[in-house]
Amino acid sequence: MTLLIIFLCIVALILLISWGKVNAFLAFLVVSVITGLLLGIPLNNIPSSIYKGIGDTLGSLIVVIVLGAMLGKLVAESGAAQRISTVLMKLFGAKYIQWALMLTGFIIGIPLFYNVGFVLIIPLIFSVAYQYKLPAVYVGLPMLASLSVTHGFLPPHPSPAALVGQFHANMGLTLIYGVIIAIPAVILAGPVFSKTIKKLEAKPLASFNVEPLPEHQLPGVFNSLLSSLLPVMMLIVTTILLFMLPEEGVFKTLLTFLGEPGIVMLITIIIATFSLGINMGKTMQQIMNIYTDAVKDVAMVLLIVSGAGILKQIFIDSGVSTQIAVALQSWSIPPLVLAWIIAAVIRVALGSATVAGLTTAGIIAPMMGQLHVNPSLMVLSIGAGSLFFSHVNDAGFWLFKEYFNLSLNDTFRSWSLMETIVSITGLFGVLIMHLFV
């Protein structure tokens, strides 16, 4: 009955948005309240679930998305994105530009949280698409597939890192195995799959569609790369240094502070304001106007993402994740496949990859002593399952849809299928590796 309620509520959400043309945030609010009532959440507790869902989702995202949008628009307006895309095109050519972006996404994705990486690479994707008249989804999907894989498979991302701890796996081995499995997953979900949707039309956010600047007005290559990729470099450096400093101390506290995505973005914005703004002849008022326009462009994105957070919180507070996991636990199938299925079902029901991974770990961890499987592979199996079929209750789904300005149907055809390919390829990779380790 619980699964039927979840299914009907998700269908209702899709119909309200696609057929009823209801604003997505309003649709989330209405469906979340009805879902909470049907799942037995006390009437007085539903408002607190709504506020918690908004707070937990936006609390960690709003600074990153807003500052990321500011940086992205400045990178676009200053010509830095144009400069970087020109360099990439010269190095790889139009034929291999997807592979260049895919590799860039993988490198960026290892230290960056998914949503941080997403808002940072969007200007680069759109710049390549606009400048060279290439389909935006076709160009961008391989890069986003790389981000998704690193988010689900590789420490130090929250879910894989937490799973490593719960299963007492080796962090280094998990990272190595994860990279080996990630490579075919990214290739299949990126350059290979994107060929099937090459004709899919997207109209990305207008703020990233700027007129190409003359060569002499563009910032230098070093300035463009440093200003655009400073968040990535800062996070890589702080992550490596934190791993090298096991003892608590003032320096580690400082590094932890500087490695927070919001702080990283704030420092980057301050530096970019001068490197891509003041130094390029713009006044402070012009730069602030760019930032204001950028925030206007992502305001609805923030509301829709918070709506997905509300529905996720309703599912969590109703105890749905535990019910699903316990029901599936009785199935007589191989442990690695069972763990993948539990994570996949919870992911489809709740939307959050992190919640799906951690919930599955809570069910599987007590049984690990009897399962006789490599703990690193168990981490990766759950990570792969937690990426399965992202849809309307996942914040990432809405980020992709709104930034690329796609219909629901086209988002399912591109984003949801890409995530599914990543997930299934990951499972097969884990099962093959299980034969050798």
mmCIF file with all atom_site columns, all heavy atoms in Angstrom, residues 26-45:
data_model
loop_
_atom_site.group_PDB
_atom_site.id
_atom_site.type_symbol
_atom_site.label_atom_id
_atom_site.label_alt_id
_atom_site.label_comp_id
_atom_site.label_asym_id
_atom_site.label_entity_id
_atom_site.label_seq_id
_atom_site.pdbx_PDB_ins_code
_atom_site.Cartn_x
_atom_site.Cartn_y
_atom_site.Cartn_z
_atom_site.occupancy
_atom_site.B_iso_or_equiv
_atom_site.pdbx_formal_charge
_atom_site.auth_seq_id
_atom_site.auth_comp_id
_atom_site.auth_asym_id
_atom_site.auth_atom_id
_atom_site.pdbx_PDB_model_num
ATOM 1   N N   . LEU A 1 26 ? 4.555  24.957 -6.600 1.00 0.00 ? 26 LEU A N   1
ATOM 2   C CA  . LEU A 1 26 ? 3.200  24.793 -6.068 1.00 0.00 ? 26 LEU A CA  1
ATOM 3   C C   . LEU A 1 26 ? 2.756  23.329 -6.144 1.00 0.00 ? 26 LEU A C   1
ATOM 4   O O   . LEU A 1 26 ? 2.120  22.816 -5.221 1.00 0.00 ? 26 LEU A O   1
ATOM 5   C CB  . LEU A 1 26 ? 2.225  25.677 -6.839 1.00 0.00 ? 26 LEU A CB  1
ATOM 6   C CG  . LEU A 1 26 ? 2.357  27.192 -6.636 1.00 0.00 ? 26 LEU A CG  1
ATOM 7   C CD1 . LEU A 1 26 ? 1.392  27.941 -7.542 1.00 0.00 ? 26 LEU A CD1 1
ATOM 8   C CD2 . LEU A 1 26 ? 2.102  27.553 -5.179 1.00 0.00 ? 26 LEU A CD2 1
ATOM 9   N N   . ALA A 1 27 ? 3.093  22.674 -7.258 1.00 0.00 ? 27 ALA A N   1
ATOM 10  C CA  . ALA A 1 27 ? 2.731  21.263 -7.412 1.00 0.00 ? 27 ALA A CA  1
ATOM 11  C C   . ALA A 1 27 ? 3.392  20.411 -6.326 1.00 0.00 ? 27 ALA A C   1
ATOM 12  O O   . ALA A 1 27 ? 2.753  19.515 -5.744 1.00 0.00 ? 27 ALA A O   1
ATOM 13  C CB  . ALA A 1 27 ? 3.150  20.772 -8.802 1.00 0.00 ? 27 ALA A CB  1
ATOM 14  N N   . PHE A 1 28 ? 4.659  20.686 -6.047 1.00 0.00 ? 28 PHE A N   1
ATOM 15  C CA  . PHE A 1 28 ? 5.359  19.964 -4.983 1.00 0.00 ? 28 PHE A CA  1
ATOM 16  C C   . PHE A 1 28 ? 4.671  20.174 -3.632 1.00 0.00 ? 28 PHE A C   1
ATOM 17  O O   . PHE A 1 28 ? 4.504  19.234 -2.853 1.00 0.00 ? 28 PHE A O   1
ATOM 18  C CB  . PHE A 1 28 ? 6.819  20.429 -4.890 1.00 0.00 ? 28 PHE A CB  1
ATOM 19  C CG  . PHE A 1 28 ? 7.770  19.604 -5.703 1.00 0.00 ? 28 PHE A CG  1
ATOM 20  C CD1 . PHE A 1 28 ? 8.477  20.164 -6.749 1.00 0.00 ? 28 PHE A CD1 1
ATOM 21  C CD2 . PHE A 1 28 ? 7.970  18.265 -5.411 1.00 0.00 ? 28 PHE A CD2 1
ATOM 22  C CE1 . PHE A 1 28 ? 9.363  19.405 -7.508 1.00 0.00 ? 28 PHE A CE1 1
ATOM 23  C CE2 . PHE A 1 28 ? 8.856  17.496 -6.152 1.00 0.00 ? 28 PHE A CE2 1
ATOM 24  C CZ  . PHE A 1 28 ? 9.551  18.069 -7.204 1.00 0.00 ? 28 PHE A CZ  1
ATOM 25  N N   . LEU A 1 29 ? 4.286  21.416 -3.340 1.00 0.00 ? 29 LEU A N   1
ATOM 26  C CA  . LEU A 1 29 ? 3.639  21.720 -2.064 1.00 0.00 ? 29 LEU A CA  1
ATOM 27  C C   . LEU A 1 29 ? 2.323  20.948 -1.906 1.00 0.00 ? 29 LEU A C   1
ATOM 28  O O   . LEU A 1 29 ? 2.079  20.303 -0.877 1.00 0.00 ? 29 LEU A O   1
ATOM 29  C CB  . LEU A 1 29 ? 3.366  23.218 -1.970 1.00 0.00 ? 29 LEU A CB  1
ATOM 30  C CG  . LEU A 1 29 ? 4.444  24.092 -1.325 1.00 0.00 ? 29 LEU A CG  1
ATOM 31  C CD1 . LEU A 1 29 ? 4.034  25.556 -1.374 1.00 0.00 ? 29 LEU A CD1 1
ATOM 32  C CD2 . LEU A 1 29 ? 4.714  23.677 0.112  1.00 0.00 ? 29 LEU A CD2 1
ATOM 33  N N   . VAL A 1 30 ? 1.494  21.005 -2.932 1.00 0.00 ? 30 VAL A N   1
ATOM 34  C CA  . VAL A 1 30 ? 0.190  20.336 -2.877 1.00 0.00 ? 30 VAL A CA  1
ATOM 35  C C   . VAL A 1 30 ? 0.361  18.829 -2.731 1.00 0.00 ? 30 VAL A C   1
ATOM 36  O O   . VAL A 1 30 ? -0.239 18.191 -1.858 1.00 0.00 ? 30 VAL A O   1
ATOM 37  C CB  . VAL A 1 30 ? -0.633 20.667 -4.147 1.00 0.00 ? 30 VAL A CB  1
ATOM 38  C CG1 . VAL A 1 30 ? -1.901 19.817 -4.190 1.00 0.00 ? 30 VAL A CG1 1
ATOM 39  C CG2 . VAL A 1 30 ? -0.987 22.146 -4.173 1.00 0.00 ? 30 VAL A CG2 1
ATOM 40  N N   . VAL A 1 31 ? 1.199  18.245 -3.592 1.00 0.00 ? 31 VAL A N   1
ATOM 41  C CA  . VAL A 1 31 ? 1.392  16.791 -3.571 1.00 0.00 ? 31 VAL A CA  1
ATOM 42  C C   . VAL A 1 31 ? 2.047  16.345 -2.262 1.00 0.00 ? 31 VAL A C   1
ATOM 43  O O   . VAL A 1 31 ? 1.687  15.292 -1.711 1.00 0.00 ? 31 VAL A O   1
ATOM 44  C CB  . VAL A 1 31 ? 2.239  16.346 -4.784 1.00 0.00 ? 31 VAL A CB  1
ATOM 45  C CG1 . VAL A 1 31 ? 2.671  14.889 -4.643 1.00 0.00 ? 31 VAL A CG1 1
ATOM 46  C CG2 . VAL A 1 31 ? 1.457  16.537 -6.071 1.00 0.00 ? 31 VAL A CG2 1
ATOM 47  N N   . SER A 1 32 ? 2.968  17.128 -1.741 1.00 0.00 ? 32 SER A N   1
ATOM 48  C CA  . SER A 1 32 ? 3.642  16.760 -0.489 1.00 0.00 ? 32 SER A CA  1
ATOM 49  C C   . SER A 1 32 ? 2.666  16.703 0.675  1.00 0.00 ? 32 SER A C   1
ATOM 50  O O   . SER A 1 32 ? 2.712  15.778 1.501  1.00 0.00 ? 32 SER A O   1
ATOM 51  C CB  . SER A 1 32 ? 4.768  17.757 -0.174 1.00 0.00 ? 32 SER A CB  1
ATOM 52  O OG  . SER A 1 32 ? 5.775  17.701 -1.147 1.00 0.00 ? 32 SER A OG  1
ATOM 53  N N   . VAL A 1 33 ? 1.762  17.681 0.764  1.00 0.00 ? 33 VAL A N   1
ATOM 54  C CA  . VAL A 1 33 ? 0.766  17.692 1.844  1.00 0.00 ? 33 VAL A CA  1
ATOM 55  C C   . VAL A 1 33 ? -0.152 16.470 1.731  1.00 0.00 ? 33 VAL A C   1
ATOM 56  O O   . VAL A 1 33 ? -0.399 15.769 2.726  1.00 0.00 ? 33 VAL A O   1
ATOM 57  C CB  . VAL A 1 33 ? -0.062 18.998 1.801  1.00 0.00 ? 33 VAL A CB  1
ATOM 58  C CG1 . VAL A 1 33 ? -1.244 18.910 2.767  1.00 0.00 ? 33 VAL A CG1 1
ATOM 59  C CG2 . VAL A 1 33 ? 0.810  20.188 2.149  1.00 0.00 ? 33 VAL A CG2 1
ATOM 60  N N   . ILE A 1 34 ? -0.637 16.198 0.520  1.00 0.00 ? 34 ILE A N   1
ATOM 61  C CA  . ILE A 1 34 ? -1.530 15.044 0.321  1.00 0.00 ? 34 ILE A CA  1
ATOM 62  C C   . ILE A 1 34 ? -0.797 13.738 0.621  1.00 0.00 ? 34 ILE A C   1
ATOM 63  O O   . ILE A 1 34 ? -1.339 12.832 1.274  1.00 0.00 ? 34 ILE A O   1
ATOM 64  C CB  . ILE A 1 34 ? -2.083 15.041 -1.123 1.00 0.00 ? 34 ILE A CB  1
ATOM 65  C CG1 . ILE A 1 34 ? -2.978 16.270 -1.336 1.00 0.00 ? 34 ILE A CG1 1
ATOM 66  C CG2 . ILE A 1 34 ? -2.852 13.762 -1.404 1.00 0.00 ? 34 ILE A CG2 1
ATOM 67  C CD1 . ILE A 1 34 ? -3.391 16.490 -2.780 1.00 0.00 ? 34 ILE A CD1 1
ATOM 68  N N   . THR A 1 35 ? 0.448  13.647 0.153  1.00 0.00 ? 35 THR A N   1
ATOM 69  C CA  . THR A 1 35 ? 1.247  12.438 0.397  1.00 0.00 ? 35 THR A CA  1
ATOM 70  C C   . THR A 1 35 ? 1.457  12.222 1.888  1.00 0.00 ? 35 THR A C   1
ATOM 71  O O   . THR A 1 35 ? 1.335  11.092 2.391  1.00 0.00 ? 35 THR A O   1
ATOM 72  C CB  . THR A 1 35 ? 2.611  12.543 -0.310 1.00 0.00 ? 35 THR A CB  1
ATOM 73  O OG1 . THR A 1 35 ? 2.416  12.767 -1.696 1.00 0.00 ? 35 THR A OG1 1
ATOM 74  C CG2 . THR A 1 35 ? 3.416  11.256 -0.129 1.00 0.00 ? 35 THR A CG2 1
ATOM 75  N N   . GLY A 1 36 ? 1.778  13.290 2.614  1.00 0.00 ? 36 GLY A N   1
ATOM 76  C CA  . GLY A 1 36 ? 1.973  13.179 4.054  1.00 0.00 ? 36 GLY A CA  1
ATOM 77  C C   . GLY A 1 36 ? 0.742  12.657 4.755  1.00 0.00 ? 36 GLY A C   1
ATOM 78  O O   . GLY A 1 36 ? 0.813  11.782 5.638  1.00 0.00 ? 36 GLY A O   1
ATOM 79  N N   . LEU A 1 37 ? -0.440 13.158 4.356  1.00 0.00 ? 37 LEU A N   1
ATOM 80  C CA  . LEU A 1 37 ? -1.691 12.699 4.960  1.00 0.00 ? 37 LEU A CA  1
ATOM 81  C C   . LEU A 1 37 ? -1.941 11.224 4.656  1.00 0.00 ? 37 LEU A C   1
ATOM 82  O O   . LEU A 1 37 ? -2.307 10.440 5.545  1.00 0.00 ? 37 LEU A O   1
ATOM 83  C CB  . LEU A 1 37 ? -2.867 13.540 4.435  1.00 0.00 ? 37 LEU A CB  1
ATOM 84  C CG  . LEU A 1 37 ? -2.905 15.011 4.900  1.00 0.00 ? 37 LEU A CG  1
ATOM 85  C CD1 . LEU A 1 37 ? -3.983 15.774 4.137  1.00 0.00 ? 37 LEU A CD1 1
ATOM 86  C CD2 . LEU A 1 37 ? -3.157 15.076 6.401  1.00 0.00 ? 37 LEU A CD2 1
ATOM 87  N N   . LEU A 1 38 ? -1.731 10.831 3.397  1.00 0.00 ? 38 LEU A N   1
ATOM 88  C CA  . LEU A 1 38 ? -1.974 9.437  2.997  1.00 0.00 ? 38 LEU A CA  1
ATOM 89  C C   . LEU A 1 38 ? -1.003 8.464  3.658  1.00 0.00 ? 38 LEU A C   1
ATOM 90  O O   . LEU A 1 38 ? -1.345 7.305  3.903  1.00 0.00 ? 38 LEU A O   1
ATOM 91  C CB  . LEU A 1 38 ? -1.887 9.310  1.475  1.00 0.00 ? 38 LEU A CB  1
ATOM 92  C CG  . LEU A 1 38 ? -2.996 10.017 0.675  1.00 0.00 ? 38 LEU A CG  1
ATOM 93  C CD1 . LEU A 1 38 ? -2.737 9.896  -0.811 1.00 0.00 ? 38 LEU A CD1 1
ATOM 94  C CD2 . LEU A 1 38 ? -4.371 9.429  1.017  1.00 0.00 ? 38 LEU A CD2 1
ATOM 95  N N   . LEU A 1 39 ? 0.223  8.931  3.938  1.00 0.00 ? 39 LEU A N   1
ATOM 96  C CA  . LEU A 1 39 ? 1.223  8.055  4.563  1.00 0.00 ? 39 LEU A CA  1
ATOM 97  C C   . LEU A 1 39 ? 1.142  8.067  6.093  1.00 0.00 ? 39 LEU A C   1
ATOM 98  O O   . LEU A 1 39 ? 1.965  7.454  6.763  1.00 0.00 ? 39 LEU A O   1
ATOM 99  C CB  . LEU A 1 39 ? 2.631  8.467  4.120  1.00 0.00 ? 39 LEU A CB  1
ATOM 100 C CG  . LEU A 1 39 ? 2.979  8.184  2.645  1.00 0.00 ? 39 LEU A CG  1
ATOM 101 C CD1 . LEU A 1 39 ? 4.350  8.750  2.302  1.00 0.00 ? 39 LEU A CD1 1
ATOM 102 C CD2 . LEU A 1 39 ? 2.938  6.688  2.340  1.00 0.00 ? 39 LEU A CD2 1
ATOM 103 N N   . GLY A 1 40 ? 0.163  8.776  6.618  1.00 0.00 ? 40 GLY A N   1
ATOM 104 C CA  . GLY A 1 40 ? -0.087 8.694  8.056  1.00 0.00 ? 40 GLY A CA  1
ATOM 105 C C   . GLY A 1 40 ? 0.681  9.668  8.920  1.00 0.00 ? 40 GLY A C   1
ATOM 106 O O   . GLY A 1 40 ? 0.710  9.520  10.148 1.00 0.00 ? 40 GLY A O   1
ATOM 107 N N   . ILE A 1 41 ? 1.295  10.682 8.324  1.00 0.00 ? 41 ILE A N   1
ATOM 108 C CA  . ILE A 1 41 ? 1.967  11.699 9.146  1.00 0.00 ? 41 ILE A CA  1
ATOM 109 C C   . ILE A 1 41 ? 0.894  12.542 9.841  1.00 0.00 ? 41 ILE A C   1
ATOM 110 O O   . ILE A 1 41 ? -0.051 13.007 9.191  1.00 0.00 ? 41 ILE A O   1
ATOM 111 C CB  . ILE A 1 41 ? 2.873  12.600 8.283  1.00 0.00 ? 41 ILE A CB  1
ATOM 112 C CG1 . ILE A 1 41 ? 4.003  11.786 7.651  1.00 0.00 ? 41 ILE A CG1 1
ATOM 113 C CG2 . ILE A 1 41 ? 3.472  13.729 9.114  1.00 0.00 ? 41 ILE A CG2 1
ATOM 114 C CD1 . ILE A 1 41 ? 4.915  12.586 6.749  1.00 0.00 ? 41 ILE A CD1 1
ATOM 115 N N   . PRO A 1 42 ? 1.005  12.725 11.155 1.00 0.00 ? 42 PRO A N   1
ATOM 116 C CA  . PRO A 1 42 ? 0.009  13.546 11.862 1.00 0.00 ? 42 PRO A CA  1
ATOM 117 C C   . PRO A 1 42 ? -0.122 14.926 11.242 1.00 0.00 ? 42 PRO A C   1
ATOM 118 O O   . PRO A 1 42 ? 0.860  15.527 10.802 1.00 0.00 ? 42 PRO A O   1
ATOM 119 C CB  . PRO A 1 42 ? 0.574  13.633 13.289 1.00 0.00 ? 42 PRO A CB  1
ATOM 120 C CG  . PRO A 1 42 ? 1.425  12.416 13.429 1.00 0.00 ? 42 PRO A CG  1
ATOM 121 C CD  . PRO A 1 42 ? 2.015  12.176 12.065 1.00 0.00 ? 42 PRO A CD  1
ATOM 122 N N   . LEU A 1 43 ? -1.357 15.442 11.220 1.00 0.00 ? 43 LEU A N   1
ATOM 123 C CA  . LEU A 1 43 ? -1.659 16.717 10.576 1.00 0.00 ? 43 LEU A CA  1
ATOM 124 C C   . LEU A 1 43 ? -0.762 17.844 11.085 1.00 0.00 ? 43 LEU A C   1
ATOM 125 O O   . LEU A 1 43 ? -0.261 18.663 10.297 1.00 0.00 ? 43 LEU A O   1
ATOM 126 C CB  . LEU A 1 43 ? -3.129 17.069 10.830 1.00 0.00 ? 43 LEU A CB  1
ATOM 127 C CG  . LEU A 1 43 ? -3.794 18.042 9.852  1.00 0.00 ? 43 LEU A CG  1
ATOM 128 C CD1 . LEU A 1 43 ? -3.774 17.500 8.441  1.00 0.00 ? 43 LEU A CD1 1
ATOM 129 C CD2 . LEU A 1 43 ? -5.220 18.323 10.293 1.00 0.00 ? 43 LEU A CD2 1
ATOM 130 N N   . ASN A 1 44 ? -0.525 17.868 12.387 1.00 0.00 ? 44 ASN A N   1
ATOM 131 C CA  . ASN A 1 44 ? 0.275  18.947 12.979 1.00 0.00 ? 44 ASN A CA  1
ATOM 132 C C   . ASN A 1 44 ? 1.758  18.860 12.608 1.00 0.00 ? 44 ASN A C   1
ATOM 133 O O   . ASN A 1 44 ? 2.496  19.833 12.767 1.00 0.00 ? 44 ASN A O   1
ATOM 134 C CB  . ASN A 1 44 ? 0.140  18.939 14.511 1.00 0.00 ? 44 ASN A CB  1
ATOM 135 C CG  . ASN A 1 44 ? -1.255 19.324 14.961 1.00 0.00 ? 44 ASN A CG  1
ATOM 136 O OD1 . ASN A 1 44 ? -1.989 19.959 14.208 1.00 0.00 ? 44 ASN A OD1 1
ATOM 137 N ND2 . ASN A 1 44 ? -1.629 18.931 16.169 1.00 0.00 ? 44 ASN A ND2 1
ATOM 138 N N   . ASN A 1 45 ? 2.198  17.674 12.167 1.00 0.00 ? 45 ASN A N   1
ATOM 139 C CA  . ASN A 1 45 ? 3.620  17.487 11.846 1.00 0.00 ? 45 ASN A CA  1
ATOM 140 C C   . ASN A 1 45 ? 3.963  17.802 10.397 1.00 0.00 ? 45 ASN A C   1
ATOM 141 O O   . ASN A 1 45 ? 5.143  17.939 10.039 1.00 0.00 ? 45 ASN A O   1
ATOM 142 C CB  . ASN A 1 45 ? 4.042  16.040 12.148 1.00 0.00 ? 45 ASN A CB  1
ATOM 143 C CG  . ASN A 1 45 ? 4.026  15.744 13.629 1.00 0.00 ? 45 ASN A CG  1
ATOM 144 O OD1 . ASN A 1 45 ? 3.867  16.643 14.447 1.00 0.00 ? 45 ASN A OD1 1
ATOM 145 N ND2 . ASN A 1 45 ? 4.195  14.484 13.993 1.00 0.00 ? 45 ASN A ND2 1
#
